[in-house]
Every structure is written in C-alpha cells, then in structure tokens.
Amino acid sequence: MKEDWIEVELGEVCEIISGRNQKEVINSDGEYPIYGSGGIFGYADKYLCEPGTTIIGRKGTINSPIFVNEKFWNVDTAFGISPKHINNPKYNYYFCLGFNFKNLDKSTTIPSLAKSDLLKIKFPLAPLPIQRAIVLKIENLFASLDKGIADLKTAQEQLKVYRQAVLKKAFEGEFTKEWRENNKWSIFTFDEITESLKRGPFGADLKKEFFVEKGYAVYEQKHAINNDFTNIRYFINEERYDLLKACNANPGDYIVSCSGTMGKIARIPEYAPKGVINQALLRIRINEKKITHKYFIEFFRSQIFQKLILQDSRGTGMQNMAGIKEIKPIKINLPSIEEQHIIVREIESRLSVCDKVEQSISEALEKAEALRQSILKKAFEGKLLTKAEIAKCKQEVDYQPASELLKKIKAEKK
C-alpha cells in the first residue's frame, strides 16, 4: 500500500532548529510564546521557529512532541523540527508522535538527544494528498479515542470521590455508631502509633558511584507512588548498607513519597529484598498494639489525614509535605483494635466493587494508549488508508510520487 512512497532521512525533508537561551528576548508583553519541551513558560520579542513546527525535547522530556501553529522561540533544551514548505506539518508531527525518541538517548543520567541523530532518522515520505488523507484520518480516529478516554477519566474521578466519601464516614465512626455507644475512641499522636519514622539519607550518601549490580535494594519514590516493587534499579553493597542502616527498609515497612508526587504510601511486600530508602522517601513502622496494618494504610490514604501532612506553601500554591517534627504531634482519634477490624470490613465491603471498576478503567486506558500507537504505526507503514481512499488521493491535482516531491524539496533547499 506504500506505492509512490520513499524512505528518506529526516534531515532531507525537515530543518532541525536548535533552541537558544531566552534571557535575551524574554518579555511578558512579547508577541511570541517561548516554548520548552513541557509547553509555554513565557513570551518573547523575537522568534526562531515558523508555524507548523514540532517541538522535541533536547534534554529531559524527550518523548512528548508538541505541535505549534504560530511563530515561537524555543529554549536551549528543545529542538524545533520544521518541515519544508511542501511537506505537510501535521504529517511530520504525527510521525514524531509515533516515533520512540528514547531509542536515541545515549546519556547515563538526564535523557538527551543529539541533533546529528535526529537528522538521520528514517522518514517515510508519501505523496502530498496521501499525507493530507493520513492526517485527516488520524485526527478523526483520535477524536473518537479522546472522547472515550475523557469518559473513562471522568468515571475514574467519580470513583475517587466515592472512595473518599466512604473513608470519611469510616474514620468519623459512621459505620460503627452502635459499637461506640459502649466503646469510646482514644486520642493518640502519630508518634504514639508508630515505632519508627525515618527520612532518607542525604543525596551525597547515595551517589550513583556507590551502586552495584546486586546487593541491598535502594527504594525510590516510584515504588511508593506506583505501589510496585517488581522493578528495583539500584543496589548497594553490605559496607554501604551498614553505613546507612538507620535508613533501612524491610518487608512489612511503609514508604512514603516526600517530593514531587507527595503523600503516596505503599507497604514493602514480603517478596521484596531488604534495602534502604533514598532521600525522597519517609519510612514508617507502625505500633501493631495500637493500630492494624489495614486500618493504618486506609487512614493514611484518606483525605482526612492527607490534609494534615500536605500543606500549601505561602505565595506559591505548591504543596509541601510536613517534616517528621510536624508529623509526630498530629493527633488521631483512634478506635480499639477490635473496632478497627470492623471498620476495615465495612470499608472493604463498600469498595470491593469500586476496586474492580477502577482496575477495568486502568486497563481500558492502557488499551486506548496502545490503540493510539497502533494507529500511528499503521499510518506510517502505509496501512491506515483503504484502497478507495488511496484511489481518491490519486485523483487530486497535486498528486505525484514522493520521489518527485523530494526533488522539489531539494531544489527549494538550494
């Protein structure tokens, strides 16, 4: 189905525009937006890129293309990929959206791309009418896909609201009113219901040069945020572990994310190895005589408790997580162990269906993203358009083989 297509290098049909420091042109009243790989973060008096340019991160976020249909200035951590005037800009963008730029990353620390590698990317050049038809079909398919994704995310948010409503009632004693007529709750500080609270070590104590192939695990934020311990990237030897023993983390311990995505908690499973926490984590060991594991983790995840440990910093609106000194004296109204078991059963009975629906939504969202990539893959393999759609393209006045189109692009370049 790729009749009249040719494969070229990206540098033959696009110009790669290196970004520049914005300090010399930044102006809040400027006419042109300043773009980085994450979007707009200012305005400028001058521009570097023409409308129809696709932004690719040079460093940091390298796999999230942005299409810009106006003149703009790109910063020095972002490339502008600008197609020649006789090549469709959106066709170029969708190619970038389906291309895995991570395969070009040769760095060992911050992901980064080299201009020389971008220029050599193999690019499937199609006749112009084919390009337009592919862009139109992708956008129609994506519109339907995005509508479905939006509906799934709305349902996901509604389930979160329901979950928090259940937890609020549970921890305010709504589910055990009759029980509480004869059993009063007690007030404890957070320090009293835990046996140990420990923040991770200084970053200098866990440099990359200390890491080894096997040994004691180094637990990271992603383990707490995703509640997934199957992928452990870093290990330290016994000597380094002994130096950092105060920050150790064992199966059964809780770890909490303390920077970026904050307040996320997970319990280290029995199959996970012993290790240490990194500088962005808090490790918690609970006092099992006062609080059960199931009650503790549900309570920690509730908005009631999250509001106590996450505070807005003045003037910025950014969240900060309270430090150990602030967390220890937090007062908690706690029922007896027996009543905790009853409350947990009430929570689980109400949320069991909710959990299954959330899992189904998560799987559907993953499938939707896979479908998006499948659409892009088919598009640039020449398999997205039907024979009838291709025949219609061939009737257009500007239809010509891509080899002829490439000659025009080269002539324009000269």
Side-chain angles (χ1 to χ4, degrees), residues 124-164:
L125 184 64
L128 273 174
I130 296 287
Q131 291 184 34
R132 291 195 295 267
I134 285 173
V135 167
L136 181 61
K137 191 158 189 177
I138 286 174
E139 292 184 339
N140 287 337
L141 291 170
F142 277 13
S144 299
L145 192 59
D146 290 339
K147 174 65 169 61
I149 289 171
D151 291 342
L152 287 169
K153 288 185 175 179
T154 298
Q156 203 173 44
E157 290 304 312
Q158 290 170 340
L159 287 171
K160 287 179 182 178
V161 172
Y162 173 72
R163 178 181 292 278
Q164 288 301 325

Side-chain angles (χ1 to χ4, degrees), residues 389-403:
E389 289 168 333
I390 293 170
K392 188 177 179 182
C393 289
K394 289 184 176 181
Q395 300 303 311
E396 296 191 30
V397 293
D398 62 342
Y399 186 92
Q400 59 183 339
S403 56

Side-chain angles (χ1 to χ4, degrees), residues 190 193-200 219-221 223-225 227 229 246-258 263-270 272 275-278 280-288 291-301 305 321 324 340 344:
F190 193 77
I193 67 166
T194 58
E195 291 184 349
S196 173
L197 292 171
K198 183 66 180 177
R199 273 297 298 262
Y219 289 109
E220 304 175 74
Q221 285 231 114
H223 298 119
I225 293 169
N227 193 17
F229 295 83
C247 302
N248 66 352
N250 302 320
D253 290 344
Y254 293 93
I255 56 172
V256 181
S257 59
C258 297
K264 297 293 184 181
I265 187 171
R267 191 180 182 196
I268 301 175
E270 290 302 317
V276 297
I277 53 174
N278 72 5
L281 289 174
L282 168 70
R283 186 212 63 218
I284 301 175
R285 291 182 185 137
I286 66 170
N287 183 338
E288 295 182 40
I291 192 165
T292 68
H293 285 283
K294 286 186 176 181
Y295 189 93
F296 172 77
I297 199 162
E298 292 289 4
F299 180 73
F300 196 100
R301 287 171 175 164
F305 188 72
M321 183 165 164
I324 289 178
Q340 288 177 41
V344 167

